């Protein structure tokens, strides 16, 4: 068994203020995640009751699949729910969210510097979607990989974008939403690719594919992909909002000191091991009930995950990416450190371990 899959933890978990017993990850480990038959990128998956719903960019539009497990999604029929009738251009990384009883699919469309975020909505996951609406994100700059979340009773939108009109670096931004379709107020940068381990591959340097989740203490995390998606240095890293922090204040966010899920040991955070079976894991999806971070953490010691990667031994290219099933677990008492910035230089709390 690979070392990173045979970890045991004497960590204790505090869930809703109740102290749970220490657990052994190897003794309760579910079936190993695996490569699916779906040669594609950017999985977005949520669970509605006992049904798993995924969305992907395909055929010049967007398709939805439904299955009884994440592993079965690849063989489920893909139902086209939107086509690019208005010739918006490249359609990237659709993200399915459930809010107020409706399904919303956010996606980026455009050509070159024209990429902007759009949304379609329906009361059914795989039919009846509205025509696309362009999101009026503040400053109206290049934007991809956007998703909606609700934290502390407020809606937020987080995405990857440019500060200006040139392709220098991709930052992570957050803005308030007054409704699933309506941004309000300013955009605020919460992460820039400035650490050495997230600048191994650049031109541009990249923070993208943000995915939100709430830890057992109720703190917000944005797990994102770093380094170029065209390289095997692609990896997942974490932003953790300090307890009681302001999501719009960049220095209330603490960044992991390295990749938490990647295939290069040199870029991994100390205590985290590289992947064994895949290269460049990234652009993941926490498979949550209704896609709602307020249902996280789900029950059990290991939680479902989907991500894209390239099988080891295969040339790394966009065309060779597959969807993979995997799992993650919360990892307590983890300190993220920083220097030469406002606020405390260290913050200790929950982090995440990811498993192929």
């Amino acid at each position: 068994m690979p070392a990173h899959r045979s970890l045991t933890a004497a960590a204790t978990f505090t869930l809703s203020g109740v102290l749970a017993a220490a657990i052994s990850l190897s003794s309760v480990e579910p079936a190993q995640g695996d490569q699916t038959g779906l040669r594609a990128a950017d999985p977005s998956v949520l669970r509605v009751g006992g049904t798993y719903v995924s969305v992907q960019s395909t055929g010049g539009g967007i398709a939805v699949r439904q299955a009884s497990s994440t592993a079965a999604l690849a063989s489920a029929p893909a139902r086209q729910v939107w086509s690019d009738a208005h010739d918006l251009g490249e359609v990237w990384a659709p993200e399915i969210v459930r809010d107020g009883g409706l399904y919303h699919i956010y996606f980026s469309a455009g050509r070159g510097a024209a990429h902007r975020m759009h949304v379609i909505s329906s009361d059914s996951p795989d039919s009846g979607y509205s025509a696309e609406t362009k999101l009026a994100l503040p400053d109206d700059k290049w934007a991809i990989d956007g998703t909606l979340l609700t934290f502390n009773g407020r809606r937020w939108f987080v995405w990857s974008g440019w500060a200006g009109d040139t392709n220098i670096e991709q930052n992570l931004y957050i803005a308030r939403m007054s409704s699933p379709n309506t941004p309000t107020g300013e955009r605020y940068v919460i992460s820039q690719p400035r650490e050495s381990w997230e600048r191994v591959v650049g031109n541009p340097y990249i923070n993208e594919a943000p995915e939100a989740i709430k830890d057992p203490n109720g703190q917000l995390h944005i797990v994102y992909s770093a380094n170029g998606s065209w390289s095997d240095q692609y990896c997942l890293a974490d932003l953790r909002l300090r307890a009681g922090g302001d999501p719009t204040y960049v220095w209330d966010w603490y960044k992991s000191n390295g990749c938490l899920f990647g295939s290069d040991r040199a870029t991994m955070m100390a205590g985290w091991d590289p992947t064994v079976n895949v290269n460049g894991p990234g652009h993941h999806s926490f498979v949550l009930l209704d896609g709602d971070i307020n249902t996280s953490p789900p029950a059990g010691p290991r939680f479902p995950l989907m991500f894209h990667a390239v099988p080891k031994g295969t040339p790394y290219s966009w065309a060779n990416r597959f969807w993979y099933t995997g799992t993650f677990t919360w990892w307590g008492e983890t300190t993220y450190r920083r220097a030469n910035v406002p606020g405390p230089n260290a913050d200790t709390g929950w982090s995440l371990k990811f498993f192929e």
Side-chain angles (χ1 to χ4, degrees):
M1 179 177 289
H4 76 292
R5 294 191 58 82
S6 60
L7 296 167
T8 57
T12 53
F13 289 70
T14 305
L15 303 176
S16 303
V18 179
L19 187 66
I23 60 171
S24 166
L25 295 182
S26 58
S27 66
V28 296
E29 183 175 323
Q32 179 174 340
D34 209 348
Q35 177 183 318
T36 73
L38 194 56
R39 188 187 287 264
D42 310 332
S44 175
V45 185
L46 53 76
R47 179 171 66 86
V48 182
T51 300
Y52 294 83
V53 182
S54 72
V55 63
Q56 69 182 106
S57 174
T58 183
I62 294 171
V64 168
R65 299 170 187 262
Q66 298 188 80
S68 59
S69 69
T70 54
L73 284 168
S75 58
R79 183 165 183 176
Q80 197 91 356
V81 298
W82 178 85
S83 296
D84 188 11
H86 297 129
D87 192 28
L88 297 177
E90 301 156 331
V91 179
W92 290 350
E95 184 83 11
I96 189 165
V97 174
R98 200 174 186 203
D99 181 285
L102 294 177
Y103 295 88
H104 308 278
I105 298 177
Y106 299 91
F107 62 96
S108 180
R111 294 180 177 89
H115 270 274
R116 297 295 188 273
M117 291 302 306
H118 299 75
V119 62
I120 57 177
S121 304
S122 176
D123 59 6
S124 171
D126 67 347
S127 64
Y129 280 88
S130 62
E132 74 278 358
T133 298
K134 179 187 170 185
L135 286 185
L137 291 174
D139 298 333
D140 191 27
K141 302 300 182 183
W142 186 91
I144 66 169
D145 296 352
T147 189
L148 182 77
L149 64 117
T150 299
F151 178 65
N152 287 347
R154 291 183 171 182
R155 291 187 182 95
W156 301 90
F157 196 76
V158 61
W159 73 98
S160 175
W162 298 349
D165 297 315
T166 54
N167 191 10
I168 299 171
E169 63 181 5
Q170 289 175 220
N171 305 320
L172 298 184
Y173 293 94
I174 196 168
R176 284 288 312 281
M177 298 285 282
S178 61
S179 75
N181 297 345
T182 311
T184 183
E186 301 176 50
R187 67 170 178 165
Y188 300 89
V189 65
I190 59 172
S191 181
Q192 295 173 285
R194 301 292 175 83
E195 301 300 320
S196 60
W197 52 267
E198 56 184 353
R199 294 173 68 88
V200 178
V201 173
N203 193 25
Y205 297 109
I206 284 175
N207 283 177
E208 65 183 14
E211 295 290 338
I213 194 165
K214 195 163 69 172
D215 73 24
N217 286 342
Q219 289 174 240
L220 180 62
H221 294 246
I222 302 293
V223 177
Y224 66 96
S225 297
N227 289 309
S229 64
W230 56 91
S231 85
D232 60 7
Q233 295 290 335
Y234 208 47
C235 70
L236 296 185
D238 181 36
L239 290 174
R240 181 176 64 216
L241 185 67
R242 72 169 181 84
D246 177 358
T248 69
Y249 182 54
V250 64
W251 303 122
D252 278 352
W253 292 93
Y254 286 77
K255 183 176 290 191
S256 59
N257 299 119
C259 302
L260 302 183
F261 195 35
S263 53
D264 182 2
R265 183 172 294 278
T267 62
M268 301 299 292
M269 182 164 162
W272 272 250
D273 292 319
T275 53
V276 172
N277 301 310
V278 303
N279 282 330
H283 206 128
H284 70 298
S285 182
F286 294 116
V287 184
L288 301 175
L289 179 62
D290 293 326
D292 182 3
I293 69 167
N294 297 295
T295 69
S296 60
R302 292 277 285 272
F303 316 130
L305 176 80
M306 291 203 79
F307 60 95
H308 80 231
V310 171
K312 281 193 183 292
T314 302
Y316 199 94
S317 70
W318 285 344
N320 286 336
R321 295 175 297 185
F322 286 84
W323 284 17
Y324 282 79
T325 62
T327 57
F328 72 97
T329 190
W330 290 109
W331 204 257
E333 296 301 309
T334 303
T335 300
Y336 296 165
R337 302 184 186 280
R338 64 190 188 184
N340 304 316
V341 298
N345 289 336
D347 182 80
T348 299
W350 291 98
S351 185
L352 307 99
K353 292 257 185 177
F354 295 92
F355 304 88
E356 297 174 76

